[in-house]
Amino acid sequence: MGITLILISSKDVIGETAPFNGWSPEREKLAYEWSKRDGMRILDSLMSVWKSLKPLSNNRFLDEEIKRLGSEFIKDGDVWKLVFIAGYIEDARRLIGVKDSYAPNMLIRTVPFKKSSYEEYELNDGNGWTTMLLSNTAVPENKPSVVQVGETDTLFAAFEVSDCSSVCSVSHTNSCIAVKYSYDQGATWNPAFCIESASGNIKHPSITADNYRRIITVVYSYEKTPTDNDIGGFTFWAGDFTKSLSYWIDTSGDNTISPSAKYTTNLGEPSCENSWIATCSCTLQDNKLFVAATKVDSLGEASGIRVYRSEDCAATWLIVYEGPQRKGSAYMDDNQVYVAVGNYPLSSSSVCGATYGGENTIHIVYAWRNSSTEHRIEHLFTDPSKGWGSVWVSTTVFSGLFYPVSQPTIAVARTNDTANMPHFITFEIRYGPSDGDIYFIYKGSFNSSWSLGNVEKSSYDSRTPFVISDAENLACPGLKTSSSSKFHITFYHVCDPTNWLCSSSSYNGTYRVVAVVSPWDSPGMWQPEYCNGDADYTIIPPPPSYPNGGYWQDWRNIYPVVYRRGANLTTPWWLGVLWVYNDSTTNNDVYWTASDCALGSDDELSADESENAPMVMRIGKYVHIMGFKGYISVYSEDGRMLRREYIDGEKRIPLKRGVWFIKLGRKAYKVLLP
C-alpha cells in the first residue's frame, strides 16, 4: 500500500507514501488488529475514556468529531473510525497536561540600525536574475525569512545576526534579529530595526504578514541558556513601525526552538483594512496566526512539536497541539517544522468568507525518526470545520526511509477547483555529508493519495529545498488573480557542466542556488523561471563571482517568496530568494536574488530611467552626478555592479581608488579615481 522503490545508482530508496488522510504505519497495524475484535466493545471503551477526559479537554469541536466518527462506525463498521477516535483521545490527553504561558514581553526591545550597515551592492548577473547584498558584516548572518505584504510590491525580511553590535546600536554581542523592508519589489532594501536583548540570544526568525491589516509578525527563539529557550514574537504595522506589540508565546520552562509562523489569508474584520489594532479592534473575523516550534528534551534532542494560535492579532495565545515525542531526523535536536496556508477544500468560493474568520486551511510538516534507521515526514492539517486547531488530522505522509530527511516544506495550489487542489511537499534525502538529493511527494486533491517523485537526483550534492506557490500570501486568490498556476522550488546544488541545471564549466564544485518551476497539475515537469525568455536555472553566477558559493548548512538558509508588481488579475508572479553566502570559514552574508521582471529591470534600461543629458564629475574621492532623473548603476572594472539606485537631480557617490563605470540611462561614463 503506497510503497515506492526508486533506484539511484547504487542507492536503493524505499519509502511508503500515505494512501489517505490520517494514515500512519502504526494506525494501519492497529486497524488490522481491531478488525479481528468486537468493534462495539472497542467503541464503548473509547467513549468511556473520552467521557472522563471531555471536561478537562473542554473542546467542543473535538467532542463533535469523536461523536461523528462513533455514529459512522455504528452505521458502516469501518474500523478506521475507531482508530481515528483513539488518536484524537491521545491528542487531547497530551494537550491537557500543557499550560499556556503567553505574556507581555518587556525584556525584548527594538533598536535602530547603525548607518554603516546600510550599504547594498548588486551583481550584474546572467540571464533573468539580479543579485544584491542584504547584509555583510564581519560576523555570520543566516536564517533569512521574507514575506510579501499587501498585494503588490512591498516586502519585509528578517535574518539572524550573530553579533548584534555589528549592525545595530547596542553594546552587547548577543545574537539578534535584523528586519529590513522594500517598497519597490526588492530593487532596494531599507533598514527597519533590530529585535534584541542584552539578557540572551535571539535566534531563528520567521516572518509572516496579515495582508488585510498590513500587520507583520516576527517570531523567534530566545536563548537564555543553551538548554533553556522560549518562543517570543514582535508584531508591528507596516504603516508605522512604532505601532507594535512585544510578547512571549511560550515561557513554560520547556525548551522550545526554531518557530515557523503563518497568518491565514482572508479579508478580516470589515472596515479594518490597513488598520492597526489600536485603531480598529481585532475580532474573530480577523486572520488567525499560527506558530509551530520544536520541543527539545533534557538530552538536547528534538522531542516533537508544539503549535500555538492567536485569534486576536497576537494579543493572546493558546497552545492548540502538543505533539507526541519524536526525535529529529537529519538534525537530532530539531524537527524542522514548517507552517503553510492553503485554500479550503470544502468550499468552491473565492476564499473570502468571514465564517470562522475566513475559508483557509493550515498545513504543518516536520521531519522525525521512528528509530535509528527509519525516517519520516508528518503532515498536520486543520480548517474552519475543525475549529481552527481544535482538531488536527495527522498523517505520516512518508515513512520507511533508511536515510535522514531534511527541511520538508509544503505548498498548496491557491485554486478554487476543489477537485483539483494539488498539495506539494519537497524535502532532502541525506545519504552522507556530501551527498543529498531533492525529492517531493504530491497529491492532486485534498482527499487523494500521496505519490513520490524527484526534483534532482544525481551524484552531485543538492540540499535544503523550499517550495512555494503562486499567490501564496494573497487574500481571495479566486477574485484577485488569474495568472497563478505554478509551484516554485529553490535549493542549493553543487554544479557540474554535465548537469541539466548548470551550464558553466567554472563552478569549481561550489554550491549555487537553483530555481525551478512546475505547473500545479503536472508535478515533475521542471522548467526554468521565465522572464522575457527562459531564465538560468542557477541563479548565482559562476566564479569569480561569489567563489565560495552558498551556505546550506544548519538548514533553512534559503527562503523564497513569490510576488507581483501590480494588482491586476493577469499580473504575473515572479520569484525572489533570500540565501546565505559562505563568505569565509568564519563568516556568512545574506543575499537577495530576484527575477529581473520582478524588479522591473533587465539591467539594461528601466522604464523609469531618463534620457536627460547629465553631468558626471570627479571631485576628490567622490563622483558627482547632476541633472539626472532616473536609475544610476555603478560598475567595477571587471563588470561587477556595486550599486543601483534612483536619483532625482543630483547625487554624490563615494568610491575607492580605481577605474569605475557609471551608467545613467543608456549612457555609460568611465571614471578614474587616482
Side-chain angles (χ1 to χ4, degrees), residues 571-631:
T571 302
W573 294 87
W574 308 111
L575 179 71
V577 186
L578 283 180
W579 55 279
V580 178
Y581 174 57
N582 188 16
D583 187 53
S584 69
T585 57
T586 59
N587 190 28
N588 306 315
D589 297 326
V590 176
Y591 279 79
W592 163 254
T593 298
S595 167
D596 287 343
C597 290
L599 302 178
S601 169
D602 59 1
D603 283 342
E604 294 297 327
L605 179 67
S606 170
D608 294 328
E609 287 176 344
S610 170
E611 288 301 314
N612 298 333
M615 182 179 295
V616 179
M617 297 184 296
R618 175 175 61 84
I619 304 176
K621 296 181 179 180
Y622 295 88
V623 172
H624 201 91
I625 301 170
M626 294 181 293
F628 181 76
K629 181 178 180 180
Y631 281 94

Side-chain angles (χ1 to χ4, degrees), residues 494-495 505-510 543 547:
V494 172
C495 268
S505 60
S506 58
Y507 284 103
N508 299 330
T510 54

Side-chain angles (χ1 to χ4, degrees), residues 411-657:
V412 180
R414 299 306 305 276
T415 172
N416 295 325
D417 184 356
T418 58
N420 183 26
M421 190 177 290
H423 294 50
F424 201 104
I425 297 175
T426 57
F427 57 97
E428 170 200 327
I429 296 179
R430 181 166 298 182
Y431 303 108
S434 59
D435 189 4
D437 289 338
I438 308 302
Y439 283 81
F440 68 88
I441 52 176
Y442 170 97
K443 63 178 182 178
S445 64
F446 176 72
N447 288 317
S448 58
S449 60
W450 293 88
S451 300
L452 178 68
N454 70 81
V455 181
E456 201 288 324
K457 59 184 183 71
S458 68
S459 58
Y460 301 103
D461 203 13
S462 295
R463 300 288 183 173
T464 59
F466 205 124
V467 61
I468 53 176
S469 170
D470 282 347
E472 183 162 292
N473 207 39
L474 179 69
C476 311
L479 289 179
K480 296 185 177 181
T481 179
S482 61
S483 59
S484 54
S485 63
K486 293 182 176 65
F487 292 117
H488 304 252
I489 301 174
T490 58
F491 56 94
Y492 289 106
H493 176 67
V494 172
C495 268
D496 179 270
T498 63
N499 189 286
W500 64 284
L501 294 171
C502 310
S503 58
S504 173
S505 60
S506 58
Y507 284 103
N508 299 330
T510 54
Y511 287 91
R512 305 283 124 173
V513 174
V514 167
V516 297
V517 298
S518 180
W520 284 342
D521 56 358
S522 301
M525 186 180 292
W526 305 117
Q527 305 166 0
E529 295 281 347
Y530 185 87
C531 175
N532 302 318
D534 289 344
D536 292 339
Y537 284 112
T538 306
I539 70 178
I540 309 178
S545 301
Y546 308 118
N548 297 333
Y551 180 79
W552 63 264
Q553 290 84 347
D554 198 26
W555 74 285
R556 207 181 286 172
N557 274 324
I558 188 170
Y559 209 107
V561 64
V562 177
Y563 59 104
R564 56 185 183 169
R565 295 176 55 205
N568 295 326
L569 277 173
T570 58
T571 302
W573 294 87
W574 308 111
L575 179 71
V577 186
L578 283 180
W579 55 279
V580 178
Y581 174 57
N582 188 16
D583 187 53
S584 69
T585 57
T586 59
N587 190 28
N588 306 315
D589 297 326
V590 176
Y591 279 79
W592 163 254
T593 298
S595 167
D596 287 343
C597 290
L599 302 178
S601 169
D602 59 1
D603 283 342
E604 294 297 327
L605 179 67
S606 170
D608 294 328
E609 287 176 344
S610 170
E611 288 301 314
N612 298 333
M615 182 179 295
V616 179
M617 297 184 296
R618 175 175 61 84
I619 304 176
K621 296 181 179 180
Y622 295 88
V623 172
H624 201 91
I625 301 170
M626 294 181 293
F628 181 76
K629 181 178 180 180
Y631 281 94
I632 65 170
S633 301
V634 180
Y635 293 86
S636 63
E637 189 176 14
D638 60 2
R640 180 182 176 90
M641 183 192 290
L642 299 179
R643 189 179 188 131
R644 186 173 188 270
E645 62 181 286
Y646 184 86
I647 68 171
D648 185 357
E650 60 182 288
K651 179 73 176 181
R652 190 173 66 165
I653 302 174
L655 291 173
K656 296 179 181 179
R657 179 182 302 172

